[in-house]
Amino acid sequence: MFLALKELKYAKFRYVMMTTIIILIAWLVFILSGLGNGLATLSAATLKNIDAEYVVYEETAGATFAKSILSENLQDDLEKQKNVDKVAAFGASTIAVGKTKSKDADSKEDVALLGVEPDAFFMPEVIEGEKLSYDNKKGVVINDTLKEAGYKIGDILLVANSDMKLEVVGYVKGETYNHLPAIFTVLENWRDYQYAAPGSDNDTDKAVQAFFLKAPNLEDPSTIDKAVKDVETVTKKTAINGMPGYKEENGTIMMMLAFCIVISAFIIAVFFYVITMQKTQQFGVMKAIGASNGFIGKAIVAQVAILSVLGIVIGIVFTYLTAKILPEGMPFDLEPTLIITYAIVLLIIALLSSIVSVRQIVKIDPLTALGRVE
Amino acid sequence: MALLSLQNVSKSYKEGASTVQALKQATLEVEAGELVAIIGPSGSGKSTLLSIAGALLQMSEGTVEINGMNIVHLSAKQLASFRLKELGFILQTSNLVPYLNVLDQLLLVKKMGGKVTKDDKEFAKQLLTELGLSDKFKKMPNELSGGERQRVAIARAFMNNSKVILADEPTASLDSKRALEVVKLLAKEAKERNKAAIMVTHDERMLQFCDHVYRMEDGVLTQQS
Ligand SMILES: Nc1ncnc2c1ncn2[C@@H]1O[C@H](COP(=O)(O)OP(=O)(O)OP(=O)(O)O)[C@@H](O)[C@H]1O
Ligand SMILES: [Mg+2]
């Protein structure tokens, strides 16, 4: 610590440059993870928001909503199962809505039409306007980002390629599904759209796509599959991974992050290595007068730790400043836990990379100090 | 009893197929309070001898005893702490740590062994004052003259109160006036503090301060006075 601090003070410029590099790397990692996380949230915010542990699909659907058709009549059966607290049915379709019958794509919005029971346990809070109710079957509550597109309470929405009309009754916040803003409607109404073609519901009575289970005490979901005919129960995480494109998208983002982190490890290691190599003669002298490898190694690790912590903290500050000036629509989402995780990962990587330098110290022969005029 | 004793020390370097016999059966004893000089032409083996005496280099044959301790069987790690405790080195120029001030240069030696006490600080100041550096405690090496830097190096060598002081051409980068000053101080400190000191030098004028002079020629060490 003694050597580390004294040297940082003495060779300010060199170490300011070094810290700058760490700041830039940390900044890059945080921005990237924030954007990646934002993107992932966007693709399945509604599912992530739902406070449920399990999702029940049709047995043959492979845990994807679009392929699954179940009868809402199963609800009673599911509710009777042991350790299941609450059950709610769900259905999702992608539709385009507009306020006029225009063919112009610009005047329409792609949205996710989500069918739910108005009293479903996971129904998000309506932040403005009225809740869903069977009194107004055509009523929808829409994600508040649609406000910016000009949709207000009371507006009538025309569904493209259908003669269906919807009426905006309220807003919810932060609800997106497959990257699309979500609009919630009662199941019956959703069913009218989704299964408009005769026979498309495989003649299922009151067809839905899936049920969400609130069952914190349920250990083994396969007990449900045994008790109820023709269903498959999976965890919510599996359900989210089953969203079209979700896994691939997340994989891409994680890949980018991983590369970013691995490359930063190399950059940091190389810079510290070069700095250490420049001090070979100096360390040789110290070893000659009796410094152990540990003494010098500790100084180097301390230096790396100080610079890394400093760089990472400033990087975090920069990240939040950047997040502030990012445009509204940019999906940026970075929770403190994620920041701390990546900060620790970066710090560990920096410290590991300093091992390369410390190994070099061990190799320095104290003899280099003797009999040399530099 | 001699504080530093080398008995029949030989050293050969392997270079490819051939071996260079850098040191041939050198025997040397230095008593407490003595300053011994080693002179000789370039490449004759002076630094090699000093490196062996300084536990920096393994000899091929012979024994080295420092302060009554045979160092042949010590590991690299033990050697480092042995050097720290028992040996003081004065090397050629630019061997101060560039980012430490004069006082910290001395305290660094104490840091290597653990903690720095108040007494250590006082001792460091006392040493520096004896070497005429009382007004330079807070100066950085680049703010000092070559002679001042070498005096700091001398003070550093005495800092751990080790019994044996080794100096390899400590005056090589100094003009003769400053060189004389530095050697005079080295001799004085060695005497007053009862150390065994060896100095390698090219400069015959330095010999007036030395108790004994050895000459090295092609790896053979002979006593001159
Ligand atoms: N690491 C080594 N490998 C091989 N040969 C070496 C090595 N170190 C020194 N030598 C050889 O050993 C001999 C003695 O070298 P040494 O450095 O002891 O000379 P010196 O008397 O200190 O010379 P100078 O006055 O120039 O410093 C030289 O011939 C040198 O080439
Ligand atoms: Mg030499």
PDB file of all heavy atoms in Angstrom, chain A residues 163-187:
ATOM      1  N   ASP A 163     -63.129  -6.971 -38.202  1.00  0.00           N
ATOM      2  CA  ASP A 163     -64.077  -5.872 -38.014  1.00  0.00           C
ATOM      3  C   ASP A 163     -64.259  -5.557 -36.533  1.00  0.00           C
ATOM      4  O   ASP A 163     -65.219  -4.957 -36.119  1.00  0.00           O
ATOM      5  CB  ASP A 163     -65.425  -6.196 -38.682  1.00  0.00           C
ATOM      6  CG  ASP A 163     -65.940  -7.550 -38.229  1.00  0.00           C
ATOM      7  OD1 ASP A 163     -65.322  -8.117 -37.293  1.00  0.00           O
ATOM      8  OD2 ASP A 163     -66.925  -8.032 -38.812  1.00  0.00           O
ATOM      9  N   MET A 164     -63.285  -5.971 -35.761  1.00  0.00           N
ATOM     10  CA  MET A 164     -63.366  -5.786 -34.326  1.00  0.00           C
ATOM     11  C   MET A 164     -63.047  -4.340 -33.947  1.00  0.00           C
ATOM     12  O   MET A 164     -62.211  -3.689 -34.569  1.00  0.00           O
ATOM     13  CB  MET A 164     -62.335  -6.708 -33.688  1.00  0.00           C
ATOM     14  CG  MET A 164     -62.520  -6.916 -32.247  1.00  0.00           C
ATOM     15  SD  MET A 164     -61.347  -8.196 -31.801  1.00  0.00           S
ATOM     16  CE  MET A 164     -62.004  -8.696 -30.301  1.00  0.00           C
ATOM     17  N   LYS A 165     -63.753  -3.856 -32.924  1.00  0.00           N
ATOM     18  CA  LYS A 165     -63.471  -2.510 -32.409  1.00  0.00           C
ATOM     19  C   LYS A 165     -63.146  -2.631 -30.916  1.00  0.00           C
ATOM     20  O   LYS A 165     -63.732  -3.438 -30.206  1.00  0.00           O
ATOM     21  CB  LYS A 165     -64.701  -1.615 -32.578  1.00  0.00           C
ATOM     22  CG  LYS A 165     -64.996  -1.232 -34.008  1.00  0.00           C
ATOM     23  CD  LYS A 165     -66.052  -0.129 -34.035  1.00  0.00           C
ATOM     24  CE  LYS A 165     -66.333   0.312 -35.460  1.00  0.00           C
ATOM     25  NZ  LYS A 165     -67.414  -0.499 -36.091  1.00  0.00           N
ATOM     26  N   LEU A 166     -62.206  -1.803 -30.472  1.00  0.00           N
ATOM     27  CA  LEU A 166     -61.832  -1.816 -29.057  1.00  0.00           C
ATOM     28  C   LEU A 166     -61.958  -0.392 -28.520  1.00  0.00           C
ATOM     29  O   LEU A 166     -61.777   0.575 -29.265  1.00  0.00           O
ATOM     30  CB  LEU A 166     -60.380  -2.281 -28.877  1.00  0.00           C
ATOM     31  CG  LEU A 166     -60.037  -3.650 -29.472  1.00  0.00           C
ATOM     32  CD1 LEU A 166     -58.532  -3.873 -29.459  1.00  0.00           C
ATOM     33  CD2 LEU A 166     -60.742  -4.757 -28.691  1.00  0.00           C
ATOM     34  N   GLU A 167     -62.250  -0.275 -27.219  1.00  0.00           N
ATOM     35  CA  GLU A 167     -62.351   1.063 -26.646  1.00  0.00           C
ATOM     36  C   GLU A 167     -61.328   1.205 -25.517  1.00  0.00           C
ATOM     37  O   GLU A 167     -61.272   0.374 -24.607  1.00  0.00           O
ATOM     38  CB  GLU A 167     -63.759   1.292 -26.085  1.00  0.00           C
ATOM     39  CG  GLU A 167     -63.947   2.724 -25.592  1.00  0.00           C
ATOM     40  CD  GLU A 167     -65.173   2.885 -24.701  1.00  0.00           C
ATOM     41  OE1 GLU A 167     -66.031   1.979 -24.682  1.00  0.00           O
ATOM     42  OE2 GLU A 167     -65.241   3.905 -23.996  1.00  0.00           O
ATOM     43  N   VAL A 168     -60.522   2.267 -25.573  1.00  0.00           N
ATOM     44  CA  VAL A 168     -59.511   2.481 -24.537  1.00  0.00           C
ATOM     45  C   VAL A 168     -60.203   2.961 -23.269  1.00  0.00           C
ATOM     46  O   VAL A 168     -60.919   3.961 -23.284  1.00  0.00           O
ATOM     47  CB  VAL A 168     -58.472   3.521 -24.993  1.00  0.00           C
ATOM     48  CG1 VAL A 168     -57.434   3.759 -23.901  1.00  0.00           C
ATOM     49  CG2 VAL A 168     -57.805   3.082 -26.290  1.00  0.00           C
ATOM     50  N   VAL A 169     -59.992   2.212 -22.168  1.00  0.00           N
ATOM     51  CA  VAL A 169     -60.615   2.644 -20.913  1.00  0.00           C
ATOM     52  C   VAL A 169     -59.577   3.020 -19.850  1.00  0.00           C
ATOM     53  O   VAL A 169     -59.898   3.685 -18.876  1.00  0.00           O
ATOM     54  CB  VAL A 169     -61.559   1.564 -20.330  1.00  0.00           C
ATOM     55  CG1 VAL A 169     -62.719   1.293 -21.275  1.00  0.00           C
ATOM     56  CG2 VAL A 169     -60.803   0.284 -20.024  1.00  0.00           C
ATOM     57  N   GLY A 170     -58.350   2.611 -20.048  1.00  0.00           N
ATOM     58  CA  GLY A 170     -57.371   2.944 -18.997  1.00  0.00           C
ATOM     59  C   GLY A 170     -55.944   2.661 -19.467  1.00  0.00           C
ATOM     60  O   GLY A 170     -55.727   2.166 -20.576  1.00  0.00           O
ATOM     61  N   TYR A 171     -54.991   3.031 -18.593  1.00  0.00           N
ATOM     62  CA  TYR A 171     -53.581   2.816 -18.904  1.00  0.00           C
ATOM     63  C   TYR A 171     -52.924   1.919 -17.860  1.00  0.00           C
ATOM     64  O   TYR A 171     -53.260   1.977 -16.674  1.00  0.00           O
ATOM     65  CB  TYR A 171     -52.799   4.134 -18.903  1.00  0.00           C
ATOM     66  CG  TYR A 171     -53.235   5.118 -19.941  1.00  0.00           C
ATOM     67  CD1 TYR A 171     -53.753   6.351 -19.553  1.00  0.00           C
ATOM     68  CD2 TYR A 171     -53.097   4.847 -21.294  1.00  0.00           C
ATOM     69  CE1 TYR A 171     -54.145   7.283 -20.490  1.00  0.00           C
ATOM     70  CE2 TYR A 171     -53.492   5.774 -22.244  1.00  0.00           C
ATOM     71  CZ  TYR A 171     -54.017   6.996 -21.837  1.00  0.00           C
ATOM     72  OH  TYR A 171     -54.392   7.910 -22.773  1.00  0.00           O
ATOM     73  N   VAL A 172     -51.971   1.141 -18.322  1.00  0.00           N
ATOM     74  CA  VAL A 172     -51.070   0.440 -17.394  1.00  0.00           C
ATOM     75  C   VAL A 172     -49.644   0.905 -17.738  1.00  0.00           C
ATOM     76  O   VAL A 172     -49.427   1.506 -18.788  1.00  0.00           O
ATOM     77  CB  VAL A 172     -51.166  -1.092 -17.519  1.00  0.00           C
ATOM     78  CG1 VAL A 172     -52.456  -1.593 -16.920  1.00  0.00           C
ATOM     79  CG2 VAL A 172     -51.008  -1.516 -18.965  1.00  0.00           C
ATOM     80  N   LYS A 173     -48.679   0.593 -16.876  1.00  0.00           N
ATOM     81  CA  LYS A 173     -47.322   1.100 -17.081  1.00  0.00           C
ATOM     82  C   LYS A 173     -46.325  -0.047 -17.216  1.00  0.00           C
ATOM     83  O   LYS A 173     -46.414  -1.032 -16.493  1.00  0.00           O
ATOM     84  CB  LYS A 173     -46.944   1.963 -15.877  1.00  0.00           C
ATOM     85  CG  LYS A 173     -45.733   2.841 -16.128  1.00  0.00           C
ATOM     86  CD  LYS A 173     -45.532   3.798 -14.961  1.00  0.00           C
ATOM     87  CE  LYS A 173     -44.215   4.523 -15.084  1.00  0.00           C
ATOM     88  NZ  LYS A 173     -44.067   5.276 -16.342  1.00  0.00           N
ATOM     89  N   GLY A 174     -45.400   0.098 -18.161  1.00  0.00           N
ATOM     90  CA  GLY A 174     -44.282  -0.841 -18.278  1.00  0.00           C
ATOM     91  C   GLY A 174     -44.687  -2.239 -18.690  1.00  0.00           C
ATOM     92  O   GLY A 174     -44.067  -3.213 -18.290  1.00  0.00           O
ATOM     93  N   GLU A 175     -45.745  -2.359 -19.480  1.00  0.00           N
ATOM     94  CA  GLU A 175     -46.201  -3.679 -19.904  1.00  0.00           C
ATOM     95  C   GLU A 175     -45.906  -3.873 -21.384  1.00  0.00           C
ATOM     96  O   GLU A 175     -46.534  -3.239 -22.240  1.00  0.00           O
ATOM     97  CB  GLU A 175     -47.704  -3.825 -19.641  1.00  0.00           C
ATOM     98  CG  GLU A 175     -48.070  -3.783 -18.152  1.00  0.00           C
ATOM     99  CD  GLU A 175     -47.580  -5.004 -17.391  1.00  0.00           C
ATOM    100  OE1 GLU A 175     -47.435  -6.078 -18.003  1.00  0.00           O
ATOM    101  OE2 GLU A 175     -47.337  -4.878 -16.169  1.00  0.00           O
ATOM    102  N   THR A 176     -44.925  -4.715 -21.683  1.00  0.00           N
ATOM    103  CA  THR A 176     -44.634  -5.016 -23.086  1.00  0.00           C
ATOM    104  C   THR A 176     -44.533  -6.527 -23.243  1.00  0.00           C
ATOM    105  O   THR A 176     -44.217  -7.245 -22.296  1.00  0.00           O
ATOM    106  CB  THR A 176     -43.307  -4.379 -23.544  1.00  0.00           C
ATOM    107  OG1 THR A 176     -42.281  -4.767 -22.635  1.00  0.00           O
ATOM    108  CG2 THR A 176     -43.392  -2.875 -23.581  1.00  0.00           C
ATOM    109  N   TYR A 177     -44.776  -6.953 -24.459  1.00  0.00           N
ATOM    110  CA  TYR A 177     -44.819  -8.391 -24.727  1.00  0.00           C
ATOM    111  C   TYR A 177     -44.248  -8.568 -26.118  1.00  0.00           C
ATOM    112  O   TYR A 177     -44.725  -7.939 -27.077  1.00  0.00           O
ATOM    113  CB  TYR A 177     -46.283  -8.844 -24.644  1.00  0.00           C
ATOM    114  CG  TYR A 177     -46.479 -10.330 -24.750  1.00  0.00           C
ATOM    115  CD1 TYR A 177     -46.464 -11.131 -23.607  1.00  0.00           C
ATOM    116  CD2 TYR A 177     -46.693 -10.924 -25.980  1.00  0.00           C
ATOM    117  CE1 TYR A 177     -46.655 -12.493 -23.708  1.00  0.00           C
ATOM    118  CE2 TYR A 177     -46.884 -12.289 -26.078  1.00  0.00           C
ATOM    119  CZ  TYR A 177     -46.870 -13.078 -24.938  1.00  0.00           C
ATOM    120  OH  TYR A 177     -47.064 -14.422 -25.027  1.00  0.00           O
ATOM    121  N   ASN A 178     -43.205  -9.379 -26.263  1.00  0.00           N
ATOM    122  CA  ASN A 178     -42.533  -9.518 -27.564  1.00  0.00           C
ATOM    123  C   ASN A 178     -42.114  -8.177 -28.134  1.00  0.00           C
ATOM    124  O   ASN A 178     -42.252  -7.925 -29.321  1.00  0.00           O
ATOM    125  CB  ASN A 178     -43.470 -10.179 -28.576  1.00  0.00           C
ATOM    126  CG  ASN A 178     -43.274 -11.674 -28.589  1.00  0.00           C
ATOM    127  OD1 ASN A 178     -42.272 -12.159 -28.064  1.00  0.00           O
ATOM    128  ND2 ASN A 178     -44.209 -12.390 -29.160  1.00  0.00           N
ATOM    129  N   HIS A 179     -41.597  -7.296 -27.315  1.00  0.00           N
ATOM    130  CA  HIS A 179     -41.177  -5.951 -27.722  1.00  0.00           C
ATOM    131  C   HIS A 179     -42.343  -5.032 -28.062  1.00  0.00           C
ATOM    132  O   HIS A 179     -42.127  -3.894 -28.450  1.00  0.00           O
ATOM    133  CB  HIS A 179     -40.229  -5.973 -28.930  1.00  0.00           C
ATOM    134  CG  HIS A 179     -38.945  -6.674 -28.655  1.00  0.00           C
ATOM    135  ND1 HIS A 179     -38.000  -6.168 -27.823  1.00  0.00           N
ATOM    136  CD2 HIS A 179     -38.470  -7.852 -29.102  1.00  0.00           C
ATOM    137  CE1 HIS A 179     -36.984  -7.008 -27.764  1.00  0.00           C
ATOM    138  NE2 HIS A 179     -37.247  -8.050 -28.520  1.00  0.00           N
ATOM    139  N   LEU A 180     -43.566  -5.520 -27.984  1.00  0.00           N
ATOM    140  CA  LEU A 180     -44.710  -4.687 -28.376  1.00  0.00           C
ATOM    141  C   LEU A 180     -45.411  -4.163 -27.131  1.00  0.00           C
ATOM    142  O   LEU A 180     -45.454  -4.846 -26.108  1.00  0.00           O
ATOM    143  CB  LEU A 180     -45.705  -5.524 -29.193  1.00  0.00           C
ATOM    144  CG  LEU A 180     -45.189  -6.045 -30.528  1.00  0.00           C
ATOM    145  CD1 LEU A 180     -46.219  -6.968 -31.151  1.00  0.00           C
ATOM    146  CD2 LEU A 180     -44.852  -4.893 -31.457  1.00  0.00           C
ATOM    147  N   PRO A 181     -45.979  -2.969 -27.231  1.00  0.00           N
ATOM    148  CA  PRO A 181     -46.783  -2.497 -26.098  1.00  0.00           C
ATOM    149  C   PRO A 181     -47.974  -3.430 -25.905  1.00  0.00           C
ATOM    150  O   PRO A 181     -48.568  -3.911 -26.881  1.00  0.00           O
ATOM    151  CB  PRO A 181     -47.229  -1.094 -26.524  1.00  0.00           C
ATOM    152  CG  PRO A 181     -46.921  -0.970 -27.967  1.00  0.00           C
ATOM    153  CD  PRO A 181     -45.869  -1.986 -28.310  1.00  0.00           C
ATOM    154  N   ALA A 182     -48.289  -3.706 -24.649  1.00  0.00           N
ATOM    155  CA  ALA A 182     -49.380  -4.641 -24.365  1.00  0.00           C
ATOM    156  C   ALA A 182     -50.687  -3.876 -24.246  1.00  0.00           C
ATOM    157  O   ALA A 182     -50.709  -2.750 -23.749  1.00  0.00           O
ATOM    158  CB  ALA A 182     -49.093  -5.386 -23.075  1.00  0.00           C
ATOM    159  N   ILE A 183     -51.772  -4.476 -24.746  1.00  0.00           N
ATOM    160  CA  ILE A 183     -53.100  -3.960 -24.403  1.00  0.00           C
ATOM    161  C   ILE A 183     -53.911  -5.151 -23.869  1.00  0.00           C
ATOM    162  O   ILE A 183     -53.906  -6.239 -24.430  1.00  0.00           O
ATOM    163  CB  ILE A 183     -53.785  -3.225 -25.578  1.00  0.00           C
ATOM    164  CG1 ILE A 183     -54.351  -4.177 -26.626  1.00  0.00           C
ATOM    165  CG2 ILE A 183     -52.819  -2.273 -26.284  1.00  0.00           C
ATOM    166  CD1 ILE A 183     -55.108  -3.409 -27.705  1.00  0.00           C
ATOM    167  N   PHE A 184     -54.527  -4.895 -22.727  1.00  0.00           N
ATOM    168  CA  PHE A 184     -55.241  -5.964 -22.039  1.00  0.00           C
ATOM    169  C   PHE A 184     -56.733  -5.881 -22.362  1.00  0.00           C
ATOM    170  O   PHE A 184     -57.291  -4.795 -22.431  1.00  0.00           O
ATOM    171  CB  PHE A 184     -55.064  -5.834 -20.519  1.00  0.00           C
ATOM    172  CG  PHE A 184     -53.678  -6.169 -20.066  1.00  0.00           C
ATOM    173  CD1 PHE A 184     -52.683  -5.202 -20.074  1.00  0.00           C
ATOM    174  CD2 PHE A 184     -53.377  -7.450 -19.625  1.00  0.00           C
ATOM    175  CE1 PHE A 184     -51.409  -5.519 -19.649  1.00  0.00           C
ATOM    176  CE2 PHE A 184     -52.096  -7.764 -19.190  1.00  0.00           C
ATOM    177  CZ  PHE A 184     -51.115  -6.800 -19.208  1.00  0.00           C
ATOM    178  N   THR A 185     -57.306  -7.051 -22.539  1.00  0.00           N
ATOM    179  CA  THR A 185     -58.758  -7.093 -22.755  1.00  0.00           C
ATOM    180  C   THR A 185     -59.312  -8.336 -22.055  1.00  0.00           C
ATOM    181  O   THR A 185     -58.545  -9.201 -21.619  1.00  0.00           O
ATOM    182  CB  THR A 185     -59.081  -7.105 -24.263  1.00  0.00           C
ATOM    183  OG1 THR A 185     -60.500  -6.989 -24.429  1.00  0.00           O
ATOM    184  CG2 THR A 185     -58.610  -8.395 -24.914  1.00  0.00           C
ATOM    185  N   VAL A 186     -60.629  -8.401 -21.927  1.00  0.00           N
ATOM    186  CA  VAL A 186     -61.201  -9.582 -21.270  1.00  0.00           C
ATOM    187  C   VAL A 186     -61.029 -10.781 -22.204  1.00  0.00           C
ATOM    188  O   VAL A 186     -60.993 -10.634 -23.423  1.00  0.00           O
ATOM    189  CB  VAL A 186     -62.683  -9.380 -20.909  1.00  0.00           C
ATOM    190  CG1 VAL A 186     -62.814  -8.293 -19.866  1.00  0.00           C
ATOM    191  CG2 VAL A 186     -63.508  -9.074 -22.133  1.00  0.00           C
ATOM    192  N   LEU A 187     -60.946 -11.972 -21.613  1.00  0.00           N
ATOM    193  CA  LEU A 187     -60.646 -13.175 -22.390  1.00  0.00           C
ATOM    194  C   LEU A 187     -61.652 -13.409 -23.510  1.00  0.00           C
ATOM    195  O   LEU A 187     -61.302 -13.798 -24.612  1.00  0.00           O
ATOM    196  CB  LEU A 187     -60.617 -14.392 -21.463  1.00  0.00           C
ATOM    197  CG  LEU A 187     -59.226 -14.782 -20.957  1.00  0.00           C
ATOM    198  CD1 LEU A 187     -59.348 -15.825 -19.877  1.00  0.00           C
ATOM    199  CD2 LEU A 187     -58.351 -15.270 -22.092  1.00  0.00           C
TER     200      LEU A 187
END
